[in-house]
Amino acid sequence: MAPIICIDGPSGAGKGTISQLVAQYLGWHLLDSGAIYRVLGVACLSNSVAWDDIPAVVAIAQTLPVRFEPGTEGMRVLLGGTDVTQAVRSESGSRGASAVAVHPEVRSTLLDWQRTFAADPGLVADGRDMGSTVFPAAELKVFLTASAEARAERRFQQLLERDENVNFPRLLEDIKARDARDSERDASPLCPAEDAIIIDSTLLSVDDVLEKVLALVAQRGIGKRTTG
Ligand code: DC
């Protein structure tokens, strides 16, 4: 089995950025599991399927024609032949992901597929339940968190850079609502795996967090560079 590093935590904690940098540093594969839930929410919308219509959502999840391809500004997400990168990253993409992710039937449909991303030389898996459910035997599990205010502020800046029309109080409210939905659901709720190392990034820069994660990687002897 390929070695695995799980980076779980709430939205806006910096998991995506840190996972990408760790994967790049090690020359490992990357699984952005949130993108899978996001694209599923978007696919439901484009097929006029309600996010709470469980059998219909499962049917779409079973044959989701999604491809992730490296683009000039990070990963491009293709659904069928259509580029849905913007739609999956929008606030409606976030709401759809969180709404379809509450259903245990949907989560179990996506489980085996997520596990197929574990391949040599190794995998960095970014999500909510990577360490607790999808890869319980991972070599390293990090739970990256930050205050809701710090996460909303980071998201606010990101959306401003993309010229999206945003409102900070609404964003903070959305983040809190999504945290509650992700943490209180019965299926794979958002919580650190028992053996996860918790890092609070509220007052840390990206470089500080990366340094901490790479120190853990090195301590456990899983930091051997395989490329470059
Ligand atoms: O990481 P993200 O913000 O792209 O995730 C979007 C939503 O998907 C989030 O609200 C919760 C859900 N999700 C999940 O339930 N389990 C995962 N492993 C990843 C994401």
Side-chain angles (χ1 to χ4, degrees):
M1 176 87 169
I4 296 168
I5 296 173
C6 298
I7 306 194
D8 287 305
S11 38
K15 298 181 311 290
T17 306
I18 295 298
S19 300
Q20 246 176 37
L21 291 171
V22 173
Q24 218 169 19
Y25 176 84
L26 294 170
W28 285 12
H29 303 280
L30 177 66
L31 166 61
D32 173 1
S33 60
I36 292 178
Y37 289 95
R38 284 170 182 271
V39 79
L40 179 57
V42 169
C44 290
L45 276 184
S46 56
N47 285 282
S48 307
V49 162
W51 294 326
D52 59 358
D53 181 347
I54 299 173
V57 178
V58 167
I60 292 183
Q62 279 165 342
T63 55
L64 198 62
V66 65
R67 283 203 328 272
F68 298 103
E69 284 183 357
T72 46
E73 291 170 34
M75 273 306 173
R76 284 174 72 216
V77 188
L78 300 164
L79 181 59
T82 312
D83 188 328
V84 291
T85 314
Q86 292 290 341
V88 298
R89 291 288 152 212
S90 69
E91 281 311 289
S92 122
S94 300
R95 277 195 292 277
S98 184
V100 294
V102 296
H103 309 307
E105 299 85 345
V106 171
R107 305 195 71 85
S108 60
T109 304
L110 296 175
L111 200 55
D112 287 343
W113 181 30
Q114 294 178 84
R115 289 182 174 146
T116 64
F117 284 77
D120 285 327
L123 176 71
V124 179
D126 155 5
R128 301 292 186 289
D129 60 342
M130 296 295 102
S132 57
T133 307
V134 183
F135 301 113
E139 273 68 14
L140 172 64
K141 300 175 188 177
V142 170
F143 191 85
L144 186 57
T145 187
S147 70
E149 287 72 14
R151 291 183 285 124
E153 177 61 34
R154 290 173 194 168
R155 185 84 182 128
F156 184 67
Q157 294 303 336
Q158 259 177 10
L159 293 172
L160 275 189
E161 279 163 25
R162 280 189 229 150
D163 284 335
E164 283 202 38
N165 204 355
V166 279
N167 157 309
F168 183 80
R170 161 111 199 271
L171 211 51
L172 179 58
E173 208 177 286
D174 268 8
I175 282 211
K176 287 183 174 167
R178 192 143 21 108
D179 280 358
R181 208 160 43 227
D182 292 346
S183 313
E184 289 161 15
R185 68 180 177 223
D186 292 332
S188 281
L190 170 68
C191 73
E194 262 179 32
D195 49 351
I197 309 285
I198 299 177
I199 299 180
D200 185 331
S201 75
T202 306
L203 300 173
L204 300 180
S205 67
V206 169
D207 284 349
D208 294 335
V209 177
L210 182 63
E211 197 178 305
K212 282 181 188 291
V213 175
L214 293 181
L216 291 165
V217 165
Q219 252 172 39
R220 295 186 185 199
I222 47 175
K224 315 273 183 286
R225 284 198 81 158
T226 49
T227 60

